[in-house]
Amino acid sequence: QVHLAESGGGLVQAGGSLTLSCVASGDTSCIGALAWYRQVPGKQRELVTTISAGGVVHYVASVEGRFTISRDVAKNTLYLQMNSLKPEDTAVYFCNADACDASGFYYVYWGQGTQITVSS
């Protein structure tokens, strides 16, 4: 079992910056890919960015060049640096992790989410 806890959300003006953190605890020995998703009420959860166990990153086009995902393996922490924030970035942001159990089966874990509100 892996527990994910996000922090760093809040209210920011358009053009501002925020950094989200996601700390993993529990059985963190077999965490693979990590990701950030976001969700707006009434819409499906949207993949924002991913980082593989090897450090390969991908971004959705709408955040490319503005957001940076990174992971600190020693601290079991995932980060999302968000710059040049826009009102359309307003959403609840969720941390996501793929992690295997002792049998090698992978499961998907989610954090509880943290609200980002960007005012215009």
Side-chain angles (χ1 to χ4, degrees), residues 69-89:
I69 189 172
S70 61
R71 63 194 294 176
D72 186 327
V73 176
K75 295 182 178 180
N76 289 318
T77 302
L78 176 70
Y79 301 99
L80 182 63
Q81 173 68 43
M82 302 182 292
N83 298 324
S84 303
L85 283 161
K86 304 176 180 179
E88 51 263 43
D89 294 319

Side-chain angles (χ1 to χ4, degrees), residues 3 6 18 25 27 31-32 37 42 48 52 56 59-60 68 70 81 95 99 102-103 111 113 115:
H3 181 255
E6 302 102 332
L18 279 176
S25 59
D27 186 3
I31 290 179
Y37 285 73
V48 177
S52 71
V56 177
Y59 299 93
V60 68
T68 302
S70 61
Q81 173 68 43
C95 175
S103 301
Q115 175 71 47

Side-chain angles (χ1 to χ4, degrees), residues 3-7 21-24 95 111-112:
H3 181 255
L4 302 173
E6 302 102 332
S7 62
S21 300
C22 173
V23 178
C95 175
Q112 81 285 353

Side-chain angles (χ1 to χ4, degrees), residues 79-115:
Y79 301 99
L80 182 63
Q81 173 68 43
M82 302 182 292
N83 298 324
S84 303
L85 283 161
K86 304 176 180 179
E88 51 263 43
D89 294 319
T90 295
V92 178
Y93 283 71
F94 296 89
C95 175
N96 167 284
D98 293 338
C100 68
D101 64 9
S103 301
F105 290 103
Y106 272 84
Y107 297 88
V108 177
Y109 296 92
W110 294 92
Q112 81 285 353
T114 185
Q115 175 71 47

